[in-house]
Amino acid sequence: MDDIARQVDGARKGDEAAYRALYERFRPVVVRLLEAFTALDADDREDIVQETFTRAFRALPRLKAAAAFPGWLLAIARNRALTASELKGNRQRTRQDFAAELPETAVESLVPDSLRAELDEAVVRQLIDALPEGSEKDTVRLFYVDGTLSTREIGERLGVGKSTITMRLERFRARVKRELVVRVLRTRGGVP
């Protein structure tokens, strides 16, 4: 991981060689992940690869732990693939369907140990259940539990704009990430 941290730090400083090294190192992993999304064709996957790295490199200054880069990058790719799949008219398929398409061994090889907890649906459900009743909980439940509506459709159902739904979901994802970090640290003895 020290090598990844060095490359991430170099990219944060604008080092073109570091950007290139990260891209060359992780592009095959992102491509393997996207191949599990059968609704996407080769052109879609290539577009998502480019968009994933563009988004990741732009947001690199906000990444707190350089060692988290691989899992963070894969989360960006997965989210972009889900969105692209929905836009292709696959709204009837749930996010759980897409997750089920990923062979377990592929997931294990793609996701670092410290981020495997993210794949545990029980953790997310516990966090959803812990939310206070209200619009944020309704939004998260419709998106992650029901999983059949797009952000636009959820906004229409709840009487708010798509950007409001997106903001609520981003806040929830940040909460999930914080909780997962705490859980990982607890398992390693770093947090009481």
Side-chain angles (χ1 to χ4, degrees), residues 12-44:
R12 283 180 175 155
K13 295 173 185 167
D15 179 1
E16 290 294 323
Y19 281 119
R20 204 170 19 264
L22 287 169
Y23 180 82
E24 289 171 1
R25 181 176 192 164
F26 291 104
R27 185 184 190 287
V29 176
V30 172
V31 168
R32 277 197 314 265
L33 174 70
L34 296 177
E35 286 172 351
F37 290 86
T38 56
L40 302 175
D41 61 29
D43 290 336
D44 295 329

Side-chain angles (χ1 to χ4, degrees), residues 65-184:
F69 180 82
W72 180 65
L73 182 71
L74 291 174
I76 293 170
R78 183 190 65 233
N79 290 339
R80 301 311 320 141
L82 287 169
T83 299
S85 295
E86 286 175 355
L87 292 174
K88 287 189 79 146
N90 293 305
R91 289 189 178 102
Q92 72 277 5
R93 300 188 67 207
T94 66
R95 282 161 174 69
Q96 289 84 355
D97 292 334
F98 285 115
E101 288 180 7
L102 293 172
E104 197 169 315
T105 54
V107 171
E108 289 175 7
S109 69
L110 294 174
V111 181
D113 291 340
S114 63
L115 296 174
R116 284 191 187 148
E118 184 178 357
L119 299 175
D120 185 359
E121 187 176 324
V123 173
V124 175
R125 287 188 183 270
Q126 288 171 356
L127 291 172
I128 292 171
D129 291 341
L131 288 173
E133 290 300 324
S135 58
E136 185 174 1
K137 187 171 187 171
D138 293 341
T139 300
V140 170
R141 191 178 288 137
L142 285 169
F143 191 77
Y144 288 107
V145 178
D146 294 349
T148 58
L149 299 175
S150 68
T151 53
R152 179 175 325 191
E153 292 165 330
I154 293 170
E156 289 169 3
R157 181 178 283 189
L158 298 178
V160 296
K162 180 183 174 194
S163 61
T164 301
I165 299 301
T166 302
M167 181 185 66
R168 289 175 185 170
L169 293 172
E170 286 176 4
R171 272 197 312 251
F172 178 72
R173 283 191 283 268
R175 184 177 291 147
V176 169
K177 287 178 185 178
R178 283 192 303 271
E179 178 62 24
L180 291 173
V181 167
V182 168
R183 288 175 186 229
V184 168

